[in-house]
mmCIF file of all heavy atoms in Angstrom:
data_model
loop_
_atom_site.group_PDB
_atom_site.id
_atom_site.type_symbol
_atom_site.label_atom_id
_atom_site.label_comp_id
_atom_site.label_asym_id
_atom_site.label_seq_id
_atom_site.Cartn_x
_atom_site.Cartn_y
_atom_site.Cartn_z
ATOM 1 N N ALA V 1103 -12.910 -10.671 7.246
ATOM 2 C CA ALA V 1103 -12.452 -9.965 6.021
ATOM 3 C C ALA V 1103 -13.458 -10.343 4.879
ATOM 4 O O ALA V 1103 -13.442 -9.721 3.839
ATOM 5 C CB ALA V 1103 -11.071 -10.567 5.624
ATOM 6 N N SER V 1104 -14.276 -11.364 4.980
ATOM 7 C CA SER V 1104 -15.209 -11.686 4.028
ATOM 8 C C SER V 1104 -16.528 -11.034 4.370
ATOM 9 O O SER V 1104 -17.360 -11.636 4.969
ATOM 10 C CB SER V 1104 -15.355 -13.255 3.879
ATOM 11 O OG SER V 1104 -14.164 -13.807 3.626
ATOM 12 N N ASN V 1105 -16.794 -9.849 3.915
ATOM 13 C CA ASN V 1105 -17.793 -9.026 4.387
ATOM 14 C C ASN V 1105 -18.793 -8.602 3.235
ATOM 15 O O ASN V 1105 -19.610 -7.805 3.518
ATOM 16 C CB ASN V 1105 -17.299 -7.824 5.158
ATOM 17 C CG ASN V 1105 -16.322 -6.880 4.298
ATOM 18 O OD1 ASN V 1105 -16.197 -7.225 3.054
ATOM 19 N ND2 ASN V 1105 -15.689 -6.024 4.859
ATOM 20 N N THR V 1106 -18.716 -9.227 2.169
ATOM 21 C CA THR V 1106 -19.552 -8.817 1.118
ATOM 22 C C THR V 1106 -20.873 -9.618 1.226
ATOM 23 O O THR V 1106 -20.959 -10.688 1.864
ATOM 24 C CB THR V 1106 -19.047 -9.118 -0.319
ATOM 25 O OG1 THR V 1106 -18.710 -10.471 -0.384
ATOM 26 C CG2 THR V 1106 -17.801 -8.308 -0.532
ATOM 27 N N SER V 1107 -21.975 -9.043 0.561
ATOM 28 C CA SER V 1107 -23.330 -9.699 0.932
ATOM 29 C C SER V 1107 -23.446 -10.941 0.066
ATOM 30 O O SER V 1107 -24.309 -11.634 0.250
ATOM 31 C CB SER V 1107 -24.321 -8.635 0.386
ATOM 32 O OG SER V 1107 -24.227 -8.351 -1.052
ATOM 33 N N HIS V 1108 -22.621 -11.231 -0.997
ATOM 34 C CA HIS V 1108 -22.835 -12.424 -1.735
ATOM 35 C C HIS V 1108 -21.747 -13.550 -1.502
ATOM 36 O O HIS V 1108 -21.465 -14.226 -2.324
ATOM 37 C CB HIS V 1108 -22.763 -12.028 -3.364
ATOM 38 C CG HIS V 1108 -21.543 -11.288 -3.794
ATOM 39 N ND1 HIS V 1108 -21.251 -10.000 -3.328
ATOM 40 C CD2 HIS V 1108 -20.467 -11.598 -4.511
ATOM 41 C CE1 HIS V 1108 -20.057 -9.644 -3.899
ATOM 42 N NE2 HIS V 1108 -19.546 -10.597 -4.623
ATOM 43 N N VAL V 1109 -21.092 -13.510 -0.304
ATOM 44 C CA VAL V 1109 -20.343 -14.531 0.096
ATOM 45 C C VAL V 1109 -21.067 -15.736 0.641
ATOM 46 O O VAL V 1109 -22.094 -15.578 1.224
ATOM 47 C CB VAL V 1109 -19.301 -14.075 1.189
ATOM 48 C CG1 VAL V 1109 -19.857 -13.642 2.527
ATOM 49 C CG2 VAL V 1109 -18.173 -15.014 1.433
ATOM 50 N N GLN V 1110 -20.626 -16.934 0.205
ATOM 51 C CA GLN V 1110 -21.167 -18.196 0.768
ATOM 52 C C GLN V 1110 -20.070 -19.033 1.324
ATOM 53 O O GLN V 1110 -18.873 -18.764 1.177
ATOM 54 C CB GLN V 1110 -21.931 -18.721 -0.332
ATOM 55 C CG GLN V 1110 -23.030 -18.063 -0.983
ATOM 56 C CD GLN V 1110 -23.788 -18.798 -2.051
ATOM 57 O OE1 GLN V 1110 -23.570 -20.038 -2.314
ATOM 58 N NE2 GLN V 1110 -24.602 -18.087 -2.867
ATOM 59 N N ALA V 1116 -12.739 -22.479 -1.987
ATOM 60 C CA ALA V 1116 -12.735 -21.013 -1.730
ATOM 61 C C ALA V 1116 -12.332 -20.338 -3.042
ATOM 62 O O ALA V 1116 -11.510 -20.758 -3.738
ATOM 63 C CB ALA V 1116 -11.632 -20.744 -0.691
ATOM 64 N N GLY V 1117 -13.164 -19.336 -3.422
ATOM 65 C CA GLY V 1117 -12.881 -18.599 -4.738
ATOM 66 C C GLY V 1117 -14.186 -17.948 -5.114
ATOM 67 O O GLY V 1117 -14.975 -17.483 -4.464
ATOM 68 N N ALA V 1118 -14.226 -17.748 -6.585
ATOM 69 C CA ALA V 1118 -15.344 -17.026 -7.178
ATOM 70 C C ALA V 1118 -15.944 -17.921 -8.157
ATOM 71 O O ALA V 1118 -15.387 -18.621 -8.924
ATOM 72 C CB ALA V 1118 -14.812 -15.734 -7.787
ATOM 73 N N VAL V 1119 -17.297 -17.806 -8.295
ATOM 74 C CA VAL V 1119 -18.107 -18.649 -9.165
ATOM 75 C C VAL V 1119 -19.123 -17.792 -10.022
ATOM 76 O O VAL V 1119 -19.814 -17.017 -9.445
ATOM 77 C CB VAL V 1119 -18.956 -19.760 -8.416
ATOM 78 C CG1 VAL V 1119 -19.650 -20.591 -9.448
ATOM 79 C CG2 VAL V 1119 -17.969 -20.593 -7.689
ATOM 80 N N TRP V 1120 -19.084 -18.002 -11.364
ATOM 81 C CA TRP V 1120 -20.130 -17.466 -12.247
ATOM 82 C C TRP V 1120 -20.932 -18.528 -12.864
ATOM 83 O O TRP V 1120 -20.484 -19.685 -12.761
ATOM 84 C CB TRP V 1120 -19.405 -16.593 -13.454
ATOM 85 C CG TRP V 1120 -19.143 -15.188 -13.174
ATOM 86 C CD1 TRP V 1120 -17.874 -14.579 -13.384
ATOM 87 C CD2 TRP V 1120 -20.106 -14.216 -12.857
ATOM 88 N NE1 TRP V 1120 -18.062 -13.236 -13.180
ATOM 89 C CE2 TRP V 1120 -19.293 -12.982 -12.859
ATOM 90 C CE3 TRP V 1120 -21.478 -14.203 -12.553
ATOM 91 C CZ2 TRP V 1120 -19.943 -11.767 -12.440
ATOM 92 C CZ3 TRP V 1120 -22.043 -12.998 -12.234
ATOM 93 C CH2 TRP V 1120 -21.358 -11.778 -12.155
ATOM 94 N N TRP V 1241 -12.813 -19.883 -10.292
ATOM 95 C CA TRP V 1241 -11.385 -19.694 -9.995
ATOM 96 C C TRP V 1241 -11.277 -20.048 -8.451
ATOM 97 O O TRP V 1241 -11.748 -19.469 -7.630
ATOM 98 C CB TRP V 1241 -10.982 -18.303 -10.142
ATOM 99 C CG TRP V 1241 -11.239 -17.838 -11.583
ATOM 100 C CD1 TRP V 1241 -10.253 -17.822 -12.619
ATOM 101 C CD2 TRP V 1241 -12.374 -17.268 -12.185
ATOM 102 N NE1 TRP V 1241 -10.731 -17.249 -13.676
ATOM 103 C CE2 TRP V 1241 -12.044 -16.926 -13.473
ATOM 104 C CE3 TRP V 1241 -13.609 -16.964 -11.667
ATOM 105 C CZ2 TRP V 1241 -13.037 -16.347 -14.320
ATOM 106 C CZ3 TRP V 1241 -14.621 -16.343 -12.563
ATOM 107 C CH2 TRP V 1241 -14.348 -16.211 -13.750
ATOM 108 N N VAL V 1261 -3.343 -16.725 -2.965
ATOM 109 C CA VAL V 1261 -3.373 -17.047 -4.386
ATOM 110 C C VAL V 1261 -4.239 -15.904 -5.022
ATOM 111 O O VAL V 1261 -5.427 -15.667 -4.593
ATOM 112 C CB VAL V 1261 -4.033 -18.457 -4.644
ATOM 113 C CG1 VAL V 1261 -4.366 -18.575 -6.212
ATOM 114 C CG2 VAL V 1261 -3.123 -19.541 -4.200
ATOM 115 N N THR V 1262 -3.707 -15.237 -6.040
ATOM 116 C CA THR V 1262 -4.464 -14.183 -6.817
ATOM 117 C C THR V 1262 -4.463 -14.667 -8.137
ATOM 118 O O THR V 1262 -3.560 -14.701 -8.812
ATOM 119 C CB THR V 1262 -3.751 -12.835 -6.478
ATOM 120 O OG1 THR V 1262 -3.781 -12.460 -5.094
ATOM 121 C CG2 THR V 1262 -4.599 -11.787 -7.338
ATOM 122 N N PHE V 1263 -5.678 -14.862 -8.559
ATOM 123 C CA PHE V 1263 -5.836 -15.109 -10.020
ATOM 124 C C PHE V 1263 -6.031 -13.741 -10.814
ATOM 125 O O PHE V 1263 -6.915 -12.923 -10.557
ATOM 126 C CB PHE V 1263 -7.097 -15.886 -10.295
ATOM 127 C CG PHE V 1263 -7.075 -17.325 -9.909
ATOM 128 C CD1 PHE V 1263 -7.668 -17.778 -8.727
ATOM 129 C CD2 PHE V 1263 -6.472 -18.301 -10.703
ATOM 130 C CE1 PHE V 1263 -7.515 -19.128 -8.337
ATOM 131 C CE2 PHE V 1263 -6.374 -19.633 -10.338
ATOM 132 C CZ PHE V 1263 -6.943 -20.020 -9.088
ATOM 133 N N THR V 1264 -4.980 -13.468 -11.639
ATOM 134 C CA THR V 1264 -5.177 -12.258 -12.450
ATOM 135 C C THR V 1264 -5.490 -12.691 -13.972
ATOM 136 O O THR V 1264 -5.450 -13.829 -14.306
ATOM 137 C CB THR V 1264 -3.876 -11.573 -12.468
ATOM 138 O OG1 THR V 1264 -2.821 -12.395 -12.988
ATOM 139 C CG2 THR V 1264 -3.553 -11.083 -11.107
ATOM 140 N N ALA V 1266 -8.182 -13.041 -15.180
ATOM 141 C CA ALA V 1266 -9.220 -14.051 -14.986
ATOM 142 C C ALA V 1266 -10.416 -13.730 -15.862
ATOM 143 O O ALA V 1266 -11.024 -12.683 -15.700
ATOM 144 C CB ALA V 1266 -9.625 -14.175 -13.476
ATOM 145 N N ILE V 1276 -16.413 -12.189 -19.564
ATOM 146 C CA ILE V 1276 -16.710 -11.519 -18.187
ATOM 147 C C ILE V 1276 -15.627 -11.820 -17.272
ATOM 148 O O ILE V 1276 -14.983 -12.799 -17.295
ATOM 149 C CB ILE V 1276 -18.100 -11.968 -17.697
ATOM 150 C CG1 ILE V 1276 -18.527 -11.003 -16.592
ATOM 151 C CG2 ILE V 1276 -18.047 -13.468 -17.134
ATOM 152 C CD1 ILE V 1276 -20.071 -11.249 -16.173
ATOM 153 N N THR V 1277 -15.290 -10.868 -16.450
ATOM 154 C CA THR V 1277 -14.311 -10.965 -15.325
ATOM 155 C C THR V 1277 -14.997 -11.510 -14.083
ATOM 156 O O THR V 1277 -16.271 -11.624 -14.016
ATOM 157 C CB THR V 1277 -13.706 -9.693 -14.955
ATOM 158 O OG1 THR V 1277 -14.539 -8.779 -14.348
ATOM 159 C CG2 THR V 1277 -13.193 -8.979 -16.266
ATOM 160 N N PRO V 1278 -14.386 -11.822 -13.098
ATOM 161 C CA PRO V 1278 -14.879 -12.309 -11.762
ATOM 162 C C PRO V 1278 -15.697 -11.220 -11.051
ATOM 163 O O PRO V 1278 -16.377 -11.516 -10.034
ATOM 164 C CB PRO V 1278 -13.778 -12.849 -10.942
ATOM 165 C CG PRO V 1278 -12.663 -13.067 -11.878
ATOM 166 C CD PRO V 1278 -12.770 -11.982 -12.998
ATOM 167 N N ASN V 1279 -15.619 -10.001 -11.403
ATOM 168 C CA ASN V 1279 -16.266 -8.897 -10.585
ATOM 169 C C ASN V 1279 -17.780 -9.123 -10.562
ATOM 170 O O ASN V 1279 -18.484 -9.241 -11.495
ATOM 171 C CB ASN V 1279 -16.122 -7.665 -11.399
ATOM 172 C CG ASN V 1279 -16.462 -6.421 -10.558
ATOM 173 O OD1 ASN V 1279 -16.211 -6.443 -9.302
ATOM 174 N ND2 ASN V 1279 -16.960 -5.239 -11.208
ATOM 175 N N GLY V 1280 -18.241 -9.234 -9.247
ATOM 176 C CA GLY V 1280 -19.599 -9.553 -9.055
ATOM 177 C C GLY V 1280 -20.001 -10.900 -8.860
ATOM 178 O O GLY V 1280 -21.140 -11.317 -8.613
ATOM 179 N N ALA V 1281 -19.018 -11.900 -9.143
ATOM 180 C CA ALA V 1281 -19.449 -13.344 -8.972
ATOM 181 C C ALA V 1281 -19.640 -13.684 -7.439
ATOM 182 O O ALA V 1281 -19.308 -12.918 -6.639
ATOM 183 C CB ALA V 1281 -18.131 -14.119 -9.449
ATOM 184 N N THR V 1282 -20.157 -14.889 -7.307
ATOM 185 C CA THR V 1282 -20.412 -15.345 -5.950
ATOM 186 C C THR V 1282 -19.065 -15.702 -5.345
ATOM 187 O O THR V 1282 -18.324 -16.445 -5.910
ATOM 188 C CB THR V 1282 -21.352 -16.584 -6.038
ATOM 189 O OG1 THR V 1282 -22.666 -16.250 -6.538
ATOM 190 C CG2 THR V 1282 -21.494 -17.142 -4.590
ATOM 191 N N GLU V 1283 -18.842 -15.266 -4.111
ATOM 192 C CA GLU V 1283 -17.609 -15.618 -3.385
ATOM 193 C C GLU V 1283 -17.899 -16.805 -2.546
ATOM 194 O O GLU V 1283 -18.911 -16.905 -1.819
ATOM 195 C CB GLU V 1283 -17.208 -14.430 -2.553
ATOM 196 C CG GLU V 1283 -16.776 -13.168 -3.487
ATOM 197 C CD GLU V 1283 -16.367 -11.968 -2.564
ATOM 198 O OE1 GLU V 1283 -16.469 -12.144 -1.211
ATOM 199 O OE2 GLU V 1283 -16.198 -10.927 -3.119
ATOM 200 N N ILE V 1284 -16.855 -17.728 -2.438
ATOM 201 C CA ILE V 1284 -17.086 -18.874 -1.651
ATOM 202 C C ILE V 1284 -15.907 -18.923 -0.701
ATOM 203 O O ILE V 1284 -14.768 -18.708 -1.183
ATOM 204 C CB ILE V 1284 -17.039 -20.199 -2.430
ATOM 205 C CG1 ILE V 1284 -18.089 -20.143 -3.580
ATOM 206 C CG2 ILE V 1284 -17.179 -21.438 -1.716
ATOM 207 C CD1 ILE V 1284 -19.459 -20.115 -3.118
ATOM 208 N N ASP V 1285 -16.098 -19.081 0.681
ATOM 209 C CA ASP V 1285 -15.048 -19.238 1.533
ATOM 210 C C ASP V 1285 -15.100 -20.555 2.256
ATOM 211 O O ASP V 1285 -16.223 -21.178 2.427
ATOM 212 C CB ASP V 1285 -15.215 -18.164 2.667
ATOM 213 C CG ASP V 1285 -14.393 -16.894 2.357
ATOM 214 O OD1 ASP V 1285 -13.289 -16.946 1.763
ATOM 215 O OD2 ASP V 1285 -14.984 -15.879 2.510
ATOM 216 N N SER V 1294 -10.292 -16.048 3.135
ATOM 217 C CA SER V 1294 -10.894 -14.794 2.825
ATOM 218 C C SER V 1294 -10.908 -14.467 1.371
ATOM 219 O O SER V 1294 -9.715 -14.419 0.838
ATOM 220 C CB SER V 1294 -10.211 -13.672 3.668
ATOM 221 O OG SER V 1294 -10.840 -12.402 3.226
ATOM 222 N N VAL V 1295 -11.986 -14.315 0.641
ATOM 223 C CA VAL V 1295 -11.978 -14.106 -0.719
ATOM 224 C C VAL V 1295 -12.500 -12.753 -1.166
ATOM 225 O O VAL V 1295 -13.373 -12.261 -0.550
ATOM 226 C CB VAL V 1295 -12.962 -15.173 -1.467
ATOM 227 C CG1 VAL V 1295 -13.191 -14.932 -2.872
ATOM 228 C CG2 VAL V 1295 -12.435 -16.606 -1.134
ATOM 229 N N SER V 1296 -11.769 -12.185 -2.074
ATOM 230 C CA SER V 1296 -12.302 -10.935 -2.714
ATOM 231 C C SER V 1296 -12.233 -10.971 -4.185
ATOM 232 O O SER V 1296 -11.333 -11.658 -4.745
ATOM 233 C CB SER V 1296 -11.388 -9.699 -2.099
ATOM 234 O OG SER V 1296 -10.104 -9.853 -2.463
ATOM 235 N N GLU V 1297 -13.157 -10.416 -4.938
ATOM 236 C CA GLU V 1297 -13.117 -10.435 -6.384
ATOM 237 C C GLU V 1297 -13.247 -8.949 -6.950
ATOM 238 O O GLU V 1297 -13.878 -8.165 -6.185
ATOM 239 C CB GLU V 1297 -14.199 -11.406 -6.977
ATOM 240 C CG GLU V 1297 -15.485 -11.472 -6.220
ATOM 241 C CD GLU V 1297 -16.273 -10.138 -6.260
ATOM 242 O OE1 GLU V 1297 -16.289 -9.499 -7.367
ATOM 243 O OE2 GLU V 1297 -17.101 -9.825 -5.480
ATOM 244 N N SER V 1298 -12.817 -8.706 -8.150
ATOM 245 C CA SER V 1298 -12.891 -7.409 -8.805
ATOM 246 C C SER V 1298 -12.772 -7.600 -10.239
ATOM 247 O O SER V 1298 -12.572 -8.740 -10.778
ATOM 248 C CB SER V 1298 -11.808 -6.532 -8.189
ATOM 249 O OG SER V 1298 -10.458 -6.934 -8.695
ATOM 250 N N ALA V 1299 -12.720 -6.596 -10.906
ATOM 251 C CA ALA V 1299 -12.481 -6.596 -12.376
ATOM 252 C C ALA V 1299 -11.222 -7.141 -12.806
ATOM 253 O O ALA V 1299 -10.945 -7.565 -13.851
ATOM 254 C CB ALA V 1299 -12.719 -5.173 -12.960
ATOM 255 N N SER V 1300 -10.232 -7.028 -11.881
ATOM 256 C CA SER V 1300 -8.787 -7.454 -12.226
ATOM 257 C C SER V 1300 -8.555 -8.793 -11.759
ATOM 258 O O SER V 1300 -7.531 -9.366 -12.230
ATOM 259 C CB SER V 1300 -7.871 -6.494 -11.476
ATOM 260 O OG SER V 1300 -8.035 -6.480 -9.945
ATOM 261 N N GLY V 1301 -9.456 -9.580 -11.001
ATOM 262 C CA GLY V 1301 -9.195 -10.893 -10.652
ATOM 263 C C GLY V 1301 -9.813 -11.421 -9.402
ATOM 264 O O GLY V 1301 -10.738 -10.776 -8.843
ATOM 265 N N VAL V 1302 -9.397 -12.357 -8.756
ATOM 266 C CA VAL V 1302 -9.856 -13.039 -7.543
ATOM 267 C C VAL V 1302 -8.647 -13.294 -6.603
ATOM 268 O O VAL V 1302 -7.690 -13.875 -7.051
ATOM 269 C CB VAL V 1302 -10.512 -14.449 -7.790
ATOM 270 C CG1 VAL V 1302 -11.090 -14.979 -6.508
ATOM 271 C CG2 VAL V 1302 -11.565 -14.275 -8.795
ATOM 272 N N THR V 1303 -8.796 -12.859 -5.363
ATOM 273 C CA THR V 1303 -7.710 -13.114 -4.410
ATOM 274 C C THR V 1303 -8.259 -13.886 -3.215
ATOM 275 O O THR V 1303 -9.346 -13.774 -2.753
ATOM 276 C CB THR V 1303 -7.177 -11.764 -3.763
ATOM 277 O OG1 THR V 1303 -6.588 -11.067 -4.768
ATOM 278 C CG2 THR V 1303 -6.203 -12.033 -2.646
ATOM 279 N N ILE V 1304 -7.540 -15.049 -2.996
ATOM 280 C CA ILE V 1304 -7.881 -16.016 -1.911
ATOM 281 C C ILE V 1304 -6.783 -16.070 -0.969
ATOM 282 O O ILE V 1304 -5.655 -16.356 -1.299
ATOM 283 C CB ILE V 1304 -8.192 -17.369 -2.629
ATOM 284 C CG1 ILE V 1304 -9.236 -17.301 -3.708
ATOM 285 C CG2 ILE V 1304 -8.723 -18.390 -1.493
ATOM 286 C CD1 ILE V 1304 -9.091 -18.285 -4.851
ATOM 287 N N LYS V 1305 -7.168 -15.704 0.289
ATOM 288 C CA LYS V 1305 -6.150 -15.678 1.394
ATOM 289 C C LYS V 1305 -6.478 -16.856 2.477
ATOM 290 O O LYS V 1305 -7.698 -16.956 2.828
ATOM 291 C CB LYS V 1305 -6.070 -14.358 2.086
ATOM 292 C CG LYS V 1305 -5.684 -13.262 1.157
ATOM 293 C CD LYS V 1305 -5.624 -11.952 1.997
ATOM 294 C CE LYS V 1305 -5.135 -10.767 0.981
ATOM 295 N NZ LYS V 1305 -5.146 -9.517 1.774
#
Side-chain angles (χ1 to χ4, degrees):
S1104 296
N1105 56 10
T1106 60
S1107 60
H1108 54 290
V1109 67
Q1110 299 179 15
V1119 180
W1120 271 125
W1241 302 266
V1261 170
T1262 298
F1263 288 101
T1264 60
I1276 194 167
T1277 73
N1279 192 34
T1282 298
E1283 296 175 6
I1284 307 292
D1285 272 316
S1294 173
V1295 174
S1296 60
E1297 37 71 29
S1298 68
S1300 60
V1302 181
T1303 296
I1304 305 152
K1305 296 180 180 180

